Amino acid sequence: MRSTLPTFDEVWQQQFRQRLIAQTQTLDQTSQDTTFVLACSGGMDSMLLLYLFADLTSEQLNHCRFKVISIDHQLQADSAKWSNLVLQHCAKLAVPCKVIQVDVQEGNLEAEARKARYHAFENELQENDVLILGHHQQDQAETLLMRLFQGAGVRGLSAMQEWHMRLIQSLNSSDIKNYFIWRPLLSLSKKQIQQWTKQWSGQLGFDYVNDPMNFDDEFDRVWYRNQLLPLIEQRIPHAQVSLSRTAILMQDANQILQEVLAQDFQYCVDDSGRLNICNLKTLSKPRQRQLLSAWMQADKNYRPPLAMVERLNGEVIDAREDANSVLHWSNLYFMRYEYAIYRYTAQQWQSIQQPIQPTEIKFSLHHVVKLAGQSFKINPVENGQDGLKLDLLNQTLMLNPRQGGEKIRLNGRKEHRLLKKMLQEAKIAPWFRHQIQILMYHNTPLGVFTPLGFWLADSEFVEPNGWLPIFEGEFSPDEYM
C-alpha cells in the first residue's frame, strides 16, 4: 500500500512517528521471523495504530511483517459488527486480519475477558512475535490507581511497561516460547489521540467503535476512568502525567529489586528449585518476603497475595520439622522437608502420590527411561569401573516398588543395610520414598532407582566396564512427572 495518510502536522506527531520507526527496527532485529501483531478491537486507539503501522510497513518498514487480530468477546449484540469493521479497514489497507471469537467464563467479567483474550493471542503468536496493544497514558493512570487501592507493592505500581517479554508454556508439552508486548501509545494522552484521530478520520473515512461497556460504571476500571480520575483532575489537572511518571519511577525501582532478587535466588534456591530455609533466614525480612513471593509465583503471571506469603512462612517454614505441613495456593503445593521447601504443581503432586506397581522392563544401550522422577540413560561404563553385566541388556528384568524392610548391600560396601535408613541419610523427602524402585533379576537385587541416581547393588551380576543407568542432570521437582 502506498502512503495515503495526511501529513504529521504537530511536532509531537513527528517525534512519535520517528520513535515508532526506531522501536520497530529494534524489535525486528530480535529475530528474522518476527511478526508484528496488532490487537485491534475497532476502538479509537487501536484503529489509529492500524493506520499508522499500515503506512509504516508499506513505506519505511516494508521489510517488516504486520498483521491484525481482532477478538470478538461475544459480550455485546454488535460485537460481530465491530470485528467486521476491522476486517473492512484491513482489506482496504491490504493488511492480513484474523477474527477470533472467544467464550468468556463466568466470574469477574473484566478479568475473565482479559484472560480469554490473551489466551487467544498466545495461541496465535509465534516465537519472538510482537503483540501491539493500544494502551495510552490515561490507561496507565487508571491502572496505577487501581493497583494502589488494591494494596500493590513496587512491582504492581510499575503498572504497564511500554514493552516487555512474556513467556508462553504449551498446555500439551513443556515447550516454552517468548513473545513481546509493545504499547507504543503509552506516552500519549487521550486528548492527543483524539486530536490525531479527528485529524485523519474525515480524510480517510476512518471510523471506529465506541463500546457501551466503556460507559458502565459497574466495571471497576470504568468507574476509575469516569468518576475518580476526573475528580482528581479537578484539583490536580496534570494528574495523569504525574501518575505516569510515578509508574516509570516504580519500574526503575522494580528493576533494582529484581537485581537484588536474582542474587537472593542464587543464594537460596538450588538447581533443583528447592528453597534453602537456613539461607533464607539470613536475609532481611523485606528480602525474605520478596524472595518467597517470587519463588511461589513460579511461571505464573501474577504474584501470590501477601497473606499467602505470610501463611507459607507461618504454616510451612516455621512449622516443626516433623509437622508434614502442606500449603496449597492456586494450582501449586508447598511443603517442607528438613531445611528445604519444595514446590509442585497439582499435576506433579498427584503424580507423586500414585502407587507404583511391579513392572517388567528391558534395557538397551543409550535407551532413556523415566523412573523415580528422573530421566536415566543406559550408558556403557568405562575405565574399569563396575557396572551391570552386558549379558543383562535386553533381558527381562523386574522393577519392584519399595515395600519397607528391605536390606541391600551396595556395591563396594561390606554389609547389608536397611534401604529406609539409606534413603533417610540421603535426605530424600518422605513423599518420594514410595516412588523408589528396586531393579531385580531372578530375585537378586541389581540396584535401586532413586531421585538422586541409580544405586548399584553388590551381586554376581556386577562386572568391570559393564553398563549403568546414568541420570541426566540434577533432580528437579518442577520437572517431576
Side-chain angles (χ1 to χ4, degrees), residues 226-246:
N226 294 339
Q227 301 297 328
L228 182 58
L229 199 52
L231 181 63
I232 294 173
E233 289 178 319
Q234 288 179 16
R235 181 75 177 186
I236 311 169
H238 57 275
Q240 289 188 35
V241 175
S242 298
L243 290 168
S244 296
R245 184 169 60 249
T246 295

Side-chain angles (χ1 to χ4, degrees), residues 305-322:
L306 178 60
M308 193 58 64
V309 176
E310 296 297 341
R311 284 188 60 189
L312 180 68
N313 243 323
E315 298 176 22
V316 180
I317 294 176
D318 292 336
R320 297 192 323 271
E321 291 184 31
D322 59 350

Side-chain angles (χ1 to χ4, degrees), residues 189-437:
S189 69
K190 187 172 183 178
K191 289 182 179 179
Q192 287 175 306
I193 294 171
Q194 289 172 331
Q195 174 189 339
W196 207 339
T197 304
K198 183 178 180 180
Q199 175 187 347
W200 282 3
S201 59
Q203 300 178 50
L204 300 175
F206 179 171
D207 49 345
Y208 55 87
V209 170
N210 281 309
D211 187 344
M213 292 178 66
N214 289 331
F215 304 95
D216 188 347
D217 287 349
E218 290 298 314
F219 298 106
D220 287 343
R221 180 175 287 276
V222 178
W223 180 84
Y224 277 86
R225 178 184 306 145
N226 294 339
Q227 301 297 328
L228 182 58
L229 199 52
L231 181 63
I232 294 173
E233 289 178 319
Q234 288 179 16
R235 181 75 177 186
I236 311 169
H238 57 275
Q240 289 188 35
V241 175
S242 298
L243 290 168
S244 296
R245 184 169 60 249
T246 295
I248 292 172
L249 294 174
M250 289 296 103
Q251 289 169 17
D252 289 346
N254 185 57
Q255 179 62 39
I256 297 170
L257 289 176
Q258 293 305 307
E259 292 169 5
V260 174
L261 177 63
Q263 297 173 6
D264 292 346
F265 249 97
Q266 187 173 11
Y267 179 56
C268 296
V269 181
D270 65 18
D271 293 338
S272 305
R274 294 170 293 201
L275 186 68
N276 185 300
I277 295 175
C278 295
N279 290 357
L280 176 73
K281 292 294 187 180
T282 66
L283 302 178
S284 66
K285 289 293 184 183
R287 285 171 68 173
Q288 286 185 37
R289 280 195 297 269
Q290 176 179 239
L291 177 58
L292 288 175
S293 177
W295 183 73
M296 290 179 71
Q297 179 185 3
D299 59 355
K300 298 182 178 300
N301 289 328
Y302 299 100
R303 296 275 184 95
L306 178 60
M308 193 58 64
V309 176
E310 296 297 341
R311 284 188 60 189
L312 180 68
N313 243 323
E315 298 176 22
V316 180
I317 294 176
D318 292 336
R320 297 192 323 271
E321 291 184 31
D322 59 350
N324 295 322
S325 298
V326 177
L327 179 67
H328 178 225
W329 170 69
S330 189
N331 73 327
L332 296 172
Y333 288 83
F334 306 90
M335 56 216 69
R336 171 178 177 166
Y337 174 61
E338 297 264 324
Y339 295 102
I341 306 296
Y342 294 73
R343 178 191 64 209
Y344 302 102
T345 66
Q347 184 180 9
Q348 290 165 349
W349 183 239
Q350 290 167 7
S351 178
I352 293 171
Q353 307 306 307
Q354 294 300 314
I356 301 296
Q357 302 298 329
T359 307
E360 292 183 348
I361 192 168
K362 292 183 179 181
F363 294 113
S364 58
L365 284 180
H366 310 301
H367 179 213
V368 176
V369 294
K370 289 191 176 183
L371 296 167
Q374 188 55 264
S375 293
F376 293 85
K377 187 173 184 179
I378 310 306
N379 283 344
V381 178
E382 300 174 347
N383 301 322
Q385 295 184 8
D386 285 343
L388 293 169
K389 286 187 174 182
L390 295 173
D391 292 345
L392 292 177
L393 290 172
N394 299 311
Q395 294 283 337
T396 300
L397 308 179
M398 200 73 190
L399 281 170
N400 287 335
R402 171 177 168 263
Q403 300 295 325
E406 297 91 348
K407 284 189 174 183
I408 293 179
R409 183 171 69 196
L410 297 183
N411 189 51
R413 303 294 175 86
K414 294 182 179 180
E415 58 185 21
H416 286 78
R417 298 191 63 202
L418 278 170
L419 179 57
K420 175 182 178 181
K421 188 69 174 176
M422 290 190 284
L423 296 173
Q424 290 173 338
E425 291 174 354
K427 307 297 184 184
I428 295 177
W431 51 87
F432 279 128
R433 294 175 192 167
H434 74 281
Q435 297 283 323
I436 302 299
Q437 291 176 276

Side-chain angles (χ1 to χ4, degrees), residues 1 36-42 46-51 53-55 57 66-71 82-99 204-207:
M1 178 194 113
F36 292 83
V37 182
L38 173 64
C40 188
S41 64
S46 58
M47 291 296 282
L48 176 62
L49 285 174
L50 170 59
Y51 273 82
F53 275 97
D55 176 58
T57 54
F66 176 60
K67 69 177 184 180
V68 169
I69 294 178
S70 180
I71 303 297
W82 302 339
S83 294
N84 285 332
L85 176 68
V86 176
L87 279 171
Q88 291 168 15
H89 281 276
C90 286
K92 172 184 172 183
L93 297 169
V95 173
C97 178
K98 182 173 183 177
V99 174
L204 300 175
F206 179 171
D207 49 345

